[in-house]
Amino acid sequence: MVHTNVITEFADFATFDYHTLYPNNDFFDFFAQPWVPFVLVALYLVLSKPVINLLISLLGIKPDSKVLKAGVICHSAFLAIYSGWTFYNVAVILFKFYTENGGLYGTLCGGKQALWVESNMTFWITHFYISKFYEFIDTWIVLLKGKTPILLQTYHHAGVVICMWLLTVTYSSPVIVLVFLNSFIHTIMYTYYTAAAFGYSSPLKKYLTQMQLGQFLIGIGSTVPCFFIQDCMTPAGSIALLVLHIYTVILIGLFAQFYVASYKKKPIKKE
């Protein structure tokens, strides 16, 4: 059970006792501390490349090694299963509250005690936030294959950690939409990556990017009204949601740029 005392005002970010969020769960408590997401993201951005290059040099890891391939398969399969498990359970809770509280905004703007604590939504939101640290491995796999991660990937992985922490510690209910959509997309995406690691190649790959763009647009479109519904958001929760929207708008631009560069055929120049 989590403590019902959460961050509500902007000033609370500096004065709040984060240990009260998860008094009986040391693992969750560690990741709730404000220094954790910022320090670990900074280490991810600064140390990923030199540390992986060092490991490649010391261990002689080859991009086509069987060990690396097995690791990619296990990693992708795990995330596919984990994402599906999370999606199913969040969907069940969301549907229950959706039908009992008069729709989406009755759910997102209703009582936090019932949604976050009594339904155990806090458990699903918190471990989903923590899973974003695990997804750093996506970048490390790219580096182990001797490639350079694109800006889209590093921005995506670094930014979502900060956003998820803000939304989690403020009990900002629109995060449920993010988790619902993202876990669904990741179930499909990591299932595809698992198959790809076995050598399967599909012409439908571009539709994954389209689905990712779709989730961002749906996510923003469905949560913007929360800013304008009376008593829906606390000041701290509004800040967390605003940060998420700014992050997502930039992400949409990067994904759109990636999509055009990867899947749109360039016109053939006439001699």
Side-chain angles (χ1 to χ4, degrees), residues 238-249:
S238 295
I239 291 168
L241 184 58
L242 178 62
V243 170
L244 173 66
H245 284 175
I246 293 171
Y247 159 78
T248 305
V249 168

Side-chain angles (χ1 to χ4, degrees), residues 145-171:
K145 290 181 176 180
K147 301 176 182 179
T148 300
I150 60 176
L151 175 62
L152 168 61
Q153 186 177 58
T154 51
Y155 172 80
H156 179 32
H157 286 307
V160 74
V161 166
I162 305 302
C163 291
M164 281 298 302
W165 176 79
L166 287 169
L167 293 160
T168 301
V169 300
T170 58
Y171 275 28

Side-chain angles (χ1 to χ4, degrees), residues 68-137:
L68 180 57
K69 180 180 179 179
V72 172
I73 292 171
C74 291
H75 166 71
S76 299
F78 168 74
L79 281 177
I81 295 168
Y82 166 77
S83 298
W85 174 65
T86 302
F87 169 72
Y88 171 77
N89 285 279
V90 170
V92 168
I93 297 171
L94 185 58
F95 179 75
K96 176 180 181 293
F97 277 83
Y98 184 93
T99 55
E100 294 178 355
N101 292 273
L104 181 63
Y105 301 107
T107 300
L108 300 183
C109 301
K112 295 185 185 298
Q113 175 71 21
L115 179 60
W116 283 78
V117 180
E118 294 172 10
S119 74
N120 206 29
M121 182 65 85
T122 304
F123 169 76
W124 297 101
I125 300 300
T126 305
H127 72 63
F128 193 76
Y129 150 59
I130 295 170
S131 76
K132 296 305 172 184
F133 292 98
Y134 176 79
E135 288 178 14
F136 288 171
I137 293 176

Side-chain angles (χ1 to χ4, degrees), residues 8-267:
T8 57
E9 303 293 332
F10 179 72
D12 292 345
F13 284 110
T15 60
F16 186 73
D17 181 5
Y18 291 88
H19 292 293
T20 64
L21 286 171
Y22 306 100
N24 302 313
N25 191 320
D26 292 339
F27 184 67
F28 281 10
D29 174 72
F30 172 78
F31 284 97
Q33 304 310 306
W35 65 268
V36 171
F38 294 95
V39 170
L40 294 188
V41 163
L43 292 174
Y44 160 74
L45 293 173
V46 174
L47 295 181
S48 288
K49 187 173 182 178
V51 170
I52 293 298
N53 285 342
L54 179 62
L55 287 175
I56 291 173
S57 176
L58 291 175
L59 302 178
I61 301 172
K62 303 295 182 182
D64 58 350
S65 72
K66 292 182 179 179
V67 173
L68 180 57
K69 180 180 179 179
V72 172
I73 292 171
C74 291
H75 166 71
S76 299
F78 168 74
L79 281 177
I81 295 168
Y82 166 77
S83 298
W85 174 65
T86 302
F87 169 72
Y88 171 77
N89 285 279
V90 170
V92 168
I93 297 171
L94 185 58
F95 179 75
K96 176 180 181 293
F97 277 83
Y98 184 93
T99 55
E100 294 178 355
N101 292 273
L104 181 63
Y105 301 107
T107 300
L108 300 183
C109 301
K112 295 185 185 298
Q113 175 71 21
L115 179 60
W116 283 78
V117 180
E118 294 172 10
S119 74
N120 206 29
M121 182 65 85
T122 304
F123 169 76
W124 297 101
I125 300 300
T126 305
H127 72 63
F128 193 76
Y129 150 59
I130 295 170
S131 76
K132 296 305 172 184
F133 292 98
Y134 176 79
E135 288 178 14
F136 288 171
I137 293 176
D138 287 350
T139 298
W140 300 340
I141 288 172
V142 172
L143 290 167
L144 285 168
K145 290 181 176 180
K147 301 176 182 179
T148 300
I150 60 176
L151 175 62
L152 168 61
Q153 186 177 58
T154 51
Y155 172 80
H156 179 32
H157 286 307
V160 74
V161 166
I162 305 302
C163 291
M164 281 298 302
W165 176 79
L166 287 169
L167 293 160
T168 301
V169 300
T170 58
Y171 275 28
S172 183
S173 294
V175 71
I176 296 166
V177 175
L178 184 160
V179 175
F180 173 77
L181 292 172
N182 195 239
S183 59
F184 172 71
I185 296 297
H186 276 197
T187 302
I188 299 171
M189 185 179 78
Y190 283 107
T191 298
Y192 173 83
Y193 288 162
T194 303
F198 280 105
Y200 173 75
S201 180
S202 170
L204 302 178
K205 182 180 178 181
K206 68 176 182 179
Y207 296 112
L208 281 175
T209 305
Q210 292 179 0
M211 292 175 68
Q212 287 172 311
L213 284 166
Q215 73 163 322
F216 302 140
L217 294 171
I218 294 171
I220 290 179
S222 61
T223 56
V224 162
C226 294
F227 288 114
F228 305 103
I229 299 174
Q230 187 175 6
D231 299 326
C232 183
M233 304 285 292
T234 65
S238 295
I239 291 168
L241 184 58
L242 178 62
V243 170
L244 173 66
H245 284 175
I246 293 171
Y247 159 78
T248 305
V249 168
I250 297 171
L251 197 57
I252 289 171
L254 291 173
F255 262 101
Q257 186 180 50
F258 169 79
Y259 181 83
V260 171
S262 301
Y263 304 116
K264 292 296 183 180
K265 293 181 179 179
K266 296 179 181 179

